[in-house]
Amino acid sequence: MIMALGMLCVLLIGGIDISITSTLAVSGMAVGMLLKYNVIHNTFLLFLIAILIGAVCGAAIGLVVSRGKVLPIIATMGFMYIYRGFAYLIAKSQWASAENLGDFKNFALEKELGLGLLNNVIVIVLLCYIIFFAVMKWSGTGRKIYAVGSNPEAAAISGINTMKIKLIVYTVMGMLSGLCGALSVAVYSSAQPNMLYGKEMDVIAACVIGGVSMSGGRGTVAGALLGSLILAVIAKALPLVGIDSIVQNTVKGVIILVVIILNVVAQRMMQKKNLKRREM
């Protein structure tokens, strides 16, 4: 759900990022190893380190995409393997188990941030969505992201620094991936270099199901939230109705494909109506 917010911004500018779970693995392994070797135990500092690592990873992608003019799918595919390799290098054929994590693993179960009412992880998710809702709806940066995705040439002519916006978007995506890396270590009480391998497609699917256009310029924070919830419900419901784990991916794929087709059809119908109004 958290990474869906970053992916929303990436898709809005007409990009894509399939390296997010590799970035997550790098930041998560860094946190795990720092705890394993008793270097740092402060929870806030560990989260800050994870977010900074994610920001650096995201900024590197943003520079290659914006300055290097490399296609996002090609750039992020390369970084996906690079960052996953970094995760294995940090691990050095080891992993951090629950006994290595100390009090950090209790963060996911405690309710300090929620004043004893809500779980810490839920509070972080809610804060992320509130912040992104405000930024995307009322800030100048949010409007610029939509403008760059809708028409990059027109945005550039109107004075928007498209390269800067792309760099910001990919850096934010990296920061959220880093945050999720630290959260994953706390939630699963372990840090492994292969954590959440292949789950980047679920994040992209959540956005698409929520009505975010992969061609850019169209999508909302509410849509990303709804798509994430729908995908989560589907993932939990399929085993309950007795569908085999191998078939589950097929069912999810069919659902995603149907939603994409419906989105494309709806978009074309809207374009036709707009053209008819112009003729009148």
Side-chain angles (χ1 to χ4, degrees):
M1 290 177 70
I2 293 174
M3 287 198 292
L5 287 168
M7 190 59 69
L8 163 68
C9 297
V10 171
L11 292 176
L12 281 175
I13 63 168
I16 195 168
D17 191 348
I18 60 173
S19 69
I20 52 174
T21 52
S22 296
T23 302
L24 179 149
V26 172
S27 57
M29 279 310 304
V31 168
M33 291 298 104
L34 287 171
L35 286 165
K36 183 181 178 72
Y37 293 110
N38 298 312
V39 179
I40 299 173
H41 288 281
N42 184 280
T43 300
F44 175 78
L45 188 55
L46 287 166
F47 270 98
L48 183 60
I49 290 169
I51 292 170
L52 287 174
I53 291 172
V56 171
C57 292
I61 296 171
L63 285 171
V64 171
V65 172
S66 62
R67 300 286 180 181
K69 306 293 184 184
V70 179
L71 287 174
I73 185 68
I74 302 299
T76 56
M77 185 185 296
F79 278 107
M80 176 180 69
Y81 291 111
I82 291 169
Y83 293 156
R84 187 65 68 172
F86 282 167
Y88 279 95
L89 287 173
I90 294 169
K92 293 182 180 178
S93 302
Q94 298 183 44
W95 65 291
S97 61
E99 62 180 341
N100 303 133
L101 301 179
D103 294 333
F104 186 79
K105 65 178 178 292
N106 299 324
F107 179 83
L109 301 173
E110 293 172 348
K111 299 180 180 180
E112 292 177 357
L113 298 178
L115 303 175
L117 300 174
L118 293 174
N119 182 280
N120 286 342
V121 178
I122 294 174
V123 172
I124 291 175
V125 172
L126 290 174
L127 284 173
C128 286
Y129 271 86
I130 290 169
I131 292 168
F132 268 77
F133 180 81
V135 170
M136 299 305 292
K137 194 170 183 67
W138 293 303
S139 76
T141 302
R143 289 192 290 272
K144 287 175 183 177
I145 289 171
Y146 278 102
V148 170
S150 298
N151 194 325
E153 291 79 13
I157 292 169
S158 64
I160 296 173
N161 190 334
T162 57
M163 289 185 182
K164 183 180 177 182
I165 293 298
K166 288 179 181 179
L167 179 60
I168 290 172
V169 166
Y170 279 101
T171 302
V172 169
M173 179 74 259
M175 290 172 69
L176 293 176
S177 299
L179 170 63
C180 290
L183 284 174
S184 295
V185 173
V187 170
Y188 297 110
S189 297
S190 69
Q192 302 179 41
N194 64 341
M195 61 173 69
L196 270 70
Y197 187 84
K199 291 295 181 180
E200 59 276 348
M201 292 306 169
D202 283 1
V203 178
I204 296 169
C207 290
V208 172
I209 290 172
V212 182
S213 174
M214 293 192 74
S215 58
R218 189 166 60 88
T220 62
V221 172
L225 173 62
L226 184 62
S228 299
L229 290 173
I230 290 172
L231 199 65
V233 169
I234 291 170
K236 296 295 181 184
L238 292 179
L240 293 176
V241 295
I243 295 177
D244 189 75
S245 59
I246 298 174
V247 184
Q248 287 174 25
N249 287 331
T250 304
V251 174
K252 280 201 292 185
V254 170
I255 292 170
I256 292 165
L257 189 62
V258 169
V259 170
I260 290 172
I261 292 170
L262 290 174
N263 282 342
V264 170
V265 171
Q267 196 170 357
R268 286 180 179 176
M269 288 176 67
M270 288 175 64
Q271 288 173 350
K272 284 182 179 179
K273 286 183 179 179
N274 291 333
L275 285 172
K276 285 181 179 178
R277 288 173 183 173
R278 288 177 185 177
E279 290 173 1
M280 291 173 65

